[in-house]
Amino acid sequence: MGRNRELKKQDRFLAERAGNYYYKRRVPTEVAHLDKRTPIIRMSLKTDDLALARRKRDQLEAADDALWASLIVDGVTDPARRRYEAAVKRVEALGFTFHAAQDLERPEAFGDLMQRIRELVASGKEDLAEPLLGAVETPRTTITDAFKLYCEEIVADELVTKSKAQREQWKKVKQRAVNNFVSLISDKPMVDINRDDAAKVYRHWLARVAPKEGSPTASASSGNRDMGNLRVLYDAYFKHMGDTERKNPFNSLGFSNKIKKSRPPIPTDWIRGRILDPEALAGLNEEARGILLIMIETGARPSEIANLEPSAIRLSHRVPHLSIEPREDPDDPREIKTASSRRAVPLVGVALSAAQRHKGGFPRYRDRENDLSATLNKYLRENKLFPTARHTLYSFRHSFEDRMKDGGLEDELRRLLMGHTVDRPKYGSGGSLEWRQSELKKIALPFDPAIV
């Protein structure tokens, strides 16, 4: 009895005739006066494969659910968008990709258009004309709502591996571009955004990046980031809505970035004489001090060290090392910067002593790397532990790279230890940990154990 109920549920809204399956469903009474297909929807699924018929049924069922919901909403959601999404799903269930009518009018789309017309004639279903031929009004979603859709649906799968802090930072940067657009133009519907709007945003940044008088108040990279985020949002939104041919008004608007500010490395003598003086870091909290000391002899990013799991601090291995890797706990994920950032870095010198002191990791700064950077930069600056005002916490990472170069470590090993891309096909593991350890010992700095 239970199995029969389960089979009936699996095959809901399916009917078979002459070996082929049909989607058959009654229009709900409450929307019957609004749906032209009343009272019964009957559509050939053009297959005799039950599994395929079920998949097509699922798409049509979801599309109709969305359509009927849009007919009875009371303003809480956007009916136009729901109708549009329903149209997209119905077209996909028939084996086509949804395209706006103007796209199907292009000469190169003639073959696709004729195939759709043949499908429409063969089905005998007038209600398929609008979705198949793209004659469904694009919803007037504002840029603010489009960005919300972008975060919650379009790129939702890309965010699942980020930690909460990473998601917030990712969203913050892109939200700034949307906020600037709204401030300069308005919370305009995406379909109405044009080249003049994009040019106005561009001129706003141009006045800051290259003012006619005075000094720049913003960098080219800041302007390019905003323009790029608007360009990506525009493309992603309309592709999501099935309009793949729409011209992007933000295309080709950007700024030359020939002058790239790089953080200067801290001289080795300065690190040896000033930073590794036991009194110099005495005022820092233990975890911040430990992270800085590990950074000096590994070149790892502060965020990578702060988010190390205890299991990634491998002190009992024959070569003590850090395993820098993403956090793959589905309930508490965290990405690392790039695929090449996944690496094993031997612990030598003061980094080994600091890791032994903090074998349980750094819970104070877990997912709080911005707080860590602010703490360390403030302390080092206030205590005059930076050689110049241009130096920052990241200067220690650049110093480590320079020390490796001066110590004769080969280029590929330097890239591997820094987490940079190696520009050739990967063969092997990049050298044993023992070899990496022996190379790093060549450049390890002497230190007073009291500093740890």
Side-chain angles (χ1 to χ4, degrees), residues 30-48:
E30 59 266 38
V31 294
H33 62 296
L34 299 172
D35 193 326
K36 298 175 183 178
R37 299 172 294 170
T38 301
I40 300 290
I41 302 167
R42 182 181 175 85
M43 183 182 299
S44 173
L45 297 175
K46 292 184 170 53
T47 182
D48 58 2

Side-chain angles (χ1 to χ4, degrees), residues 234-293:
Y234 192 94
D235 265 344
Y237 171 77
F238 283 106
K239 284 178 181 176
H240 183 70
M241 302 307 289
D243 190 350
T244 58
E245 302 298 327
R246 183 176 288 260
K247 190 172 182 179
N248 193 320
F250 297 98
N251 280 347
S252 305
L253 291 176
F255 306 95
S256 174
N257 198 17
K258 293 180 180 178
I259 302 175
K260 294 186 178 180
K261 295 181 180 179
S262 60
R263 301 174 184 86
I266 296 176
T268 301
D269 287 345
W270 182 280
I271 296 175
R272 187 186 291 114
R274 295 290 298 273
I275 304 300
L276 293 181
D277 179 344
E279 297 298 319
L281 304 182
L284 265 174
N285 71 75
E286 286 193 5
E287 289 191 23
R289 182 168 64 248
I291 290 169
L292 177 58
L293 294 176

Side-chain angles (χ1 to χ4, degrees), residues 321-356:
H321 66 278
L322 303 180
S323 179
I324 297 173
E325 56 197 20
R327 199 160 63 219
E328 296 177 340
D329 180 350
D331 296 321
D332 185 24
R334 188 181 185 280
E335 290 181 348
I336 53 177
K337 188 171 183 180
T338 62
S340 58
S341 296
R342 185 190 285 261
R343 63 201 189 278
V345 184
L347 289 163
V348 300
V350 72
L352 176 58
S353 292
Q356 289 168 335

Side-chain angles (χ1 to χ4, degrees), residues 294-301 304-305 308 312-315 317 319-325 340-348 351-352 355 397 400 404 409 413-420 429 431-438 440 443:
I294 291 174
M295 187 180 181
I296 287 172
E297 291 291 23
T298 64
R301 300 174 179 93
E304 293 173 334
I305 303 171
L308 286 167
I313 303 174
R314 299 179 177 173
L315 299 173
H317 193 278
V319 176
H321 66 278
L322 303 180
S323 179
I324 297 173
E325 56 197 20
S340 58
S341 296
R342 185 190 285 261
R343 63 201 189 278
V345 184
L347 289 163
V348 300
L352 176 58
R397 182 166 155 83
F400 178 73
M404 287 195 293
L409 277 67
L413 176 60
R414 298 200 307 268
R415 288 173 177 268
L416 188 150
L417 292 172
M418 293 292 289
H420 292 160
S429 60
S432 69
L433 274 173
E434 288 86 354
W435 175 66
R436 296 182 201 180
Q437 180 190 55
S438 67
L440 285 180
I443 63 167

Side-chain angles (χ1 to χ4, degrees), residues 73-97:
V73 289
D74 57 3
V76 177
T77 56
D78 180 357
R81 183 182 153 204
R82 298 291 289 273
R83 283 194 291 272
Y84 191 94
E85 290 176 344
V88 171
K89 289 177 181 177
R90 292 183 70 195
V91 170
E92 288 175 346
L94 294 171
F96 293 91
T97 299

